[in-house]
């Protein structure tokens, strides 16, 4: 992966120590003695088998006239580079996970930046889901998708394939981000209030004008601390609706896809999620 913000090459600080030994015409044994460490330990540092600690950096500062910050900075850069190399290898091993998402669609919606490199795509997907690894994604999102209430034409149980989970997880994540931007001043969710609004919402099924229906449904739901939103489904996704909590569990969110684009489908999905929340 190449990125202007990341190092694409780093050298272990031990190599710099070896160069300075030549400058000072000093042996490893003499430097080890002056630093009050074993020759074996110093040799491990020079060979890149051991890292420079704060104590080691202070010792090097005193003997080789390079600040402790200099040595610690070299070590930090090398550690970051090594960690990114490991992350790249890990993501390449999870190629199928990366390819299970419709990356161009997420780019089009503005949730990830354009990328051609597979590893770079994987890194942006991890950031999108706010997880550190594919293993963490599976731990958080497979469980999340199973637990989030969904009205779907496809099963989201343990037998569902990875692509099904990826589509649904991406759709729900988009909804979470959207909801968090809109519910900062929303009332706290109260199940009792939501239960009391059901008869009033049922009465709205006789209104013909869709815009009027949506406006009045939103007013009823808001009083109970429920945010209603539409999110365009991911390509091939067969989900109608889902519900989850936002704002640290204080506000409930009902999310619809406009599948079935009829009043009957709208109210069926709506009451399905209200029932789930209750």
């Amino acid at each position: 992966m190449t990125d202007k913000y990341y190092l694409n090459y780093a050298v272990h600080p031990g190599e710099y120590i070896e160069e300075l030994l030549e400058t000072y015409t000093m042996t490893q044994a003499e430097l080890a003695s002056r630093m009050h460490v074993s020759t074996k330990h110093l040799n491990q540092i020079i060979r890149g088998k051991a890292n420079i600690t704060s104590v080691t950096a202070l010792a090097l500062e005193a003997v080789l006239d390079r600040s402790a910050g200099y040595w610690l900075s070299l070590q930090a850069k090398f550690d970051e580079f090594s960690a990114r190399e490991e992350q790249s290898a890990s993501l390449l091993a999870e190629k199928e996970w990366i390819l299970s998402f419709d990356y161009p669609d997420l780019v089009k919606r503005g949730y990830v930046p354009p990328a051609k490199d597979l590893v770079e795509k994987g890194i942006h997907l991890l950031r999108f889901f706010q997880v550190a690894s594919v293993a963490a994604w599976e731990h958080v999102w497979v469980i999340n998708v199973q637990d989030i209430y969904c009205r779907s034409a496809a099963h989201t149980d343990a037998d569902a394939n990875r692509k099904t989970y990826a589509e649904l997880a991406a759709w729900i994540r988009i909804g979470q981000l959207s909801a968090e931007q809109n519910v900062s001043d929303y009332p706290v969710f109260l199940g009792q209030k939501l239960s009391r609004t059901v008869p009033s919402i049922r009465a709205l099924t006789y209104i013909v004008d869709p815009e009027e229906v949506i406006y009045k449904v939103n007013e009823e739901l808001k009083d109970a601390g429920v945010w209603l939103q539409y999110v365009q489904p991911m390509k091939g996704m067969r989900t109608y609706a889902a519900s989850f909590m936002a704002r640290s569990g204080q506000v409930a969110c009902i999310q619809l896809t406009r599948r079935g684009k009829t009043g009957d489908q709208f109210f069926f999905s709506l009451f399905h999620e209200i029932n789930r929340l209750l």
Side-chain angles (χ1 to χ4, degrees):
M1 182 192 67
T2 58
D3 190 304
K4 64 181 179 179
Y5 299 110
Y6 304 142
L7 294 172
N8 55 16
Y9 180 73
V11 175
H12 191 278
E15 292 191 28
Y16 294 97
I17 296 176
E18 192 168 33
E19 290 177 3
L20 286 173
L21 284 175
E22 295 180 9
T23 302
Y24 283 85
T25 61
M26 190 183 299
T27 65
Q28 288 189 26
E30 184 180 353
L31 177 59
S33 178
R34 290 175 181 273
M35 293 175 60
H36 197 55
V37 299
S38 69
T39 304
K40 179 182 178 181
H41 180 62
L42 177 61
N43 181 258
Q44 287 180 323
I45 294 175
I46 290 174
R47 291 165 55 207
K49 302 296 182 182
N51 293 334
I52 290 178
T53 64
S54 299
V55 173
T56 308
L58 287 171
L60 288 168
E61 177 183 77
V63 180
L64 297 180
D65 194 29
R66 298 289 191 280
S67 72
Y70 167 80
W71 294 110
L72 291 173
S73 176
L74 289 176
Q75 185 67 61
K77 289 177 180 177
F78 179 79
D79 290 345
E80 180 186 352
F81 172 76
S82 299
R84 291 193 184 280
E85 288 290 285
E86 291 179 12
Q87 182 187 53
S88 295
S90 176
L91 285 171
L92 284 175
E94 295 288 357
K95 175 181 177 180
E96 294 305 316
W97 176 79
I98 298 170
L99 295 176
S100 66
F101 294 95
D102 188 344
Y103 195 88
D105 187 25
L106 289 172
V107 171
K108 185 178 179 181
R109 300 188 194 208
Y111 289 100
V112 294
K116 293 183 179 179
D117 182 80
L118 196 66
V119 171
E120 194 173 356
K121 288 180 180 179
I123 289 172
H124 291 313
L125 286 169
L126 293 179
R127 291 175 181 171
F128 169 63
F129 284 106
Q130 286 190 308
V131 291
S133 64
V134 176
W137 182 87
E138 291 182 341
H139 177 72
V140 172
W141 281 93
V142 171
I143 294 173
N144 209 1
V145 167
Q146 290 173 347
D147 288 346
I148 284 177
Y149 307 132
C150 293
R151 178 179 173 243
S152 175
H155 294 294
T156 54
D157 55 22
D159 296 325
N161 61 39
R162 176 174 267 180
K163 187 168 181 59
T164 299
Y165 277 113
E167 292 167 349
L168 192 51
W171 180 70
I172 291 170
R173 179 60 181 152
I174 290 171
Q176 287 181 338
L177 292 170
S178 174
E180 292 296 341
Q181 292 177 347
N182 290 284
V183 300
S184 59
D185 59 347
Y186 244 59
V188 173
F189 170 68
L190 293 174
Q192 290 182 339
K193 277 192 174 183
L194 179 60
S195 181
R196 289 197 294 268
T197 66
V198 171
S200 300
I201 295 175
R202 287 191 189 280
L204 301 177
T205 59
Y206 299 101
I207 298 177
V208 177
D209 183 3
E211 291 187 5
E212 184 181 357
V213 170
I214 296 298
Y215 174 79
K216 291 189 174 181
V217 166
N218 273 314
E219 288 297 300
E220 294 286 349
L221 292 176
K222 181 176 182 179
D223 188 53
V226 180
W227 167 257
L228 176 66
Q229 66 182 8
Y230 284 101
V231 175
Q232 180 183 350
M234 310 306 293
K235 185 178 179 181
M237 199 181 78
R238 301 174 64 192
T239 298
Y240 292 87
S243 51
F244 51 85
M245 302 304 294
R247 208 179 71 196
S248 301
Q250 293 183 313
V251 177
C253 177
I254 293 178
Q255 182 165 308
L256 307 177
T257 61
R258 295 188 190 273
R259 279 179 61 87
K261 299 181 182 178
T262 65
D264 288 345
Q265 288 283 11
F266 165 76
F267 278 108
F268 188 89
S269 295
L270 178 63
F271 285 121
H272 182 273
E273 300 311 315
I274 288 175
N275 182 61
R276 288 285 198 168
L277 288 173
L278 292 175

